[in-house]
Amino acid sequence: MRLGVLDVGSNTVHLLVVDAHPGACPLPAHSVKEELRLAQLLDEDGAVGPAGVDRLIRVVRDAARAAEDKGVEALLPFATSAVRDARNADEVLERVHRETGVALRVLSGEDEAKLTFLAARRWFGWSAGRLLVLDIGGGSLEIAYGIDEEPDAAVSLPLGAGRLTGAWLPSDPPGPEEIRALRRHVRTEIARTVGEFTRLGSPDHVVATSKTFRQLARLAGAARSAEGLYVQRELTRDALEAWVPKLAAMTEQERAELPGVAEGRAGQLVAGALVAEAAMDLFGVERVEICPWALREGVILRRLDHLHPLDR
């Protein structure tokens, strides 16, 4: 069957269309995304303003039409932290449904962590042993650990690269005091959760997903995305620690000119790098392997798992 996943994230709205059936690897057929920066469209009270809702409705409507044009049999629409944390989330969801016909499912942070973990487990398989999975989004950081397909521990922290940039790094480039304050905040938040994971034992394999980690790995010398999904890509803590001060000293425009850095994400890269550095340091991780599958693939895999053979 042809499935579509509509991911309303803190940075982008992404439609991924795949050809899939139970027991098979989902094959990408079409992908389109639009930078919405929903997390940055919240007003002082934490609500999505009228202009932001109008933009969201337009983008969701366009994505739904694209899914229909591509012959999608079932569309799986969901929203993450930007909508989840908005003060007027219910109002936004009702308007989107009324005006587009798309009923967005709001995932909890724990759901995000669990579904991303499922995608990483399926990608690397049982031979990877105990997995620790790190995912930095626009609004939140997800951490999950386990030996099965359901993690033994999963948390979501409000440490997304977009959220932190807007709240902590107003200058371009950010000043030393801004960097120091954000670094302290990030490490305090992550440190509160470390014990929940370390009591379960050391992971056999540490995996990172998300655009932030892919960009950082590319800066550190990993293969370009054009070389395909199956090329192994890693990011070491030493390389990351060397890049953090360089990135902090650059303007957003200078970061956008670096290899592998998307122009729309250049402004968030310093905050994302600080979160990645803190997570790897506090969890005692020397290197992470980049997983090409993440939340969207986890949603697809979970849907396929629930299909009865008679539904195929």
Side-chain angles (χ1 to χ4, degrees):
M1 65 189 304
R2 176 159 282 195
L3 295 175
V5 175
L6 180 57
D7 176 1
V8 178
S10 298
N11 285 313
T12 62
V13 175
H14 187 169
L15 172 68
L16 174 65
V17 176
V18 301
D19 292 320
H21 64 267
C25 175
L27 298 176
H30 180 69
S31 177
V32 61
K33 64 179 72 174
E34 183 163 341
E35 294 280 347
L36 187 59
R37 307 282 184 88
L38 196 58
Q40 298 178 23
L41 298 177
L42 303 179
D43 61 24
E44 293 180 355
D45 296 325
V48 183
V53 178
D54 289 343
R55 287 175 60 188
L56 176 60
I57 287 170
R58 176 185 59 79
V59 173
V60 169
R61 183 184 291 120
D62 289 347
R65 288 172 179 167
E68 183 178 329
D69 289 345
K70 295 299 179 182
V72 167
E73 182 176 340
L75 182 65
L76 312 175
F78 65 88
T80 56
S81 63
V83 173
R84 181 172 69 236
D85 298 338
R87 184 178 56 79
N88 59 339
D90 291 341
E91 176 187 335
V92 171
L93 294 169
E94 191 278 330
R95 242 195 95 187
V96 169
H97 188 201
R98 185 176 71 247
E99 298 190 28
T100 70
V102 175
L104 291 173
R105 172 193 173 195
V106 178
L107 297 180
S108 69
E110 185 177 353
D111 286 339
E112 285 191 58
K114 289 181 176 181
L115 289 165
T116 302
F117 183 88
L118 171 65
R121 169 58 74 195
R122 293 282 178 89
W123 182 267
F124 290 105
W126 299 114
S127 63
R130 291 170 294 186
L131 280 181
L132 175 64
V133 179
L134 306 172
D135 178 85
I136 302 172
S140 58
L141 162 70
E142 276 70 49
I143 308 169
Y145 172 98
I147 196 167
D148 299 318
E149 291 196 337
E150 185 81 6
D152 297 312
V155 300
S156 178
L157 302 174
L159 298 177
R163 181 197 297 267
L164 294 177
T165 300
W168 293 83
L169 302 179
S171 305
D172 183 26
E177 289 302 319
E178 293 174 4
I179 295 292
R180 188 174 298 112
L182 177 55
R183 184 178 186 275
R184 183 167 55 247
H185 169 70
V186 166
R187 286 173 177 262
T188 298
E189 291 293 312
I190 294 175
R192 290 174 179 157
T193 72
V194 170
E196 182 177 345
F197 292 88
T198 55
R199 66 180 177 80
L200 298 171
S202 299
D204 299 307
H205 200 66
V206 185
V207 173
T209 70
S210 76
K211 185 75 169 180
T212 293
F213 270 114
R214 290 199 300 272
Q215 291 182 141
L216 293 170
R218 178 73 183 95
L219 289 177
R224 297 174 301 152
S225 59
E227 296 183 41
L229 293 179
Y230 301 105
V231 176
Q232 184 177 10
R233 296 172 174 88
E234 292 187 339
L235 173 64
T236 66
R237 180 156 34 122
D238 286 345
L240 178 57
E241 289 175 347
W243 267 102
V244 168
K246 297 177 187 177
L247 293 171
M250 294 179 182
T251 64
E252 180 177 346
Q253 182 57 47
E254 288 171 334
R255 281 180 239 124
E257 295 171 359
L258 294 171
V261 176
E263 184 175 357
R265 301 293 184 94
Q268 304 177 12
L269 192 56
V270 174
L274 287 169
V275 174
E277 180 189 40
M280 292 180 70
D281 184 17
L282 292 170
F283 280 94
V285 174
E286 295 301 326
R287 66 180 64 243
V288 295
E289 185 170 357
I290 307 302
C291 180
W293 280 4
L295 177 59
R296 285 180 290 274
E297 287 78 12
V299 170
I300 292 168
L301 293 166
R302 180 63 75 220
R303 171 59 182 265
L304 292 173
D305 287 347
H306 290 165
L307 287 177
H308 189 277
L310 293 179
D311 293 329
R312 297 180 193 175

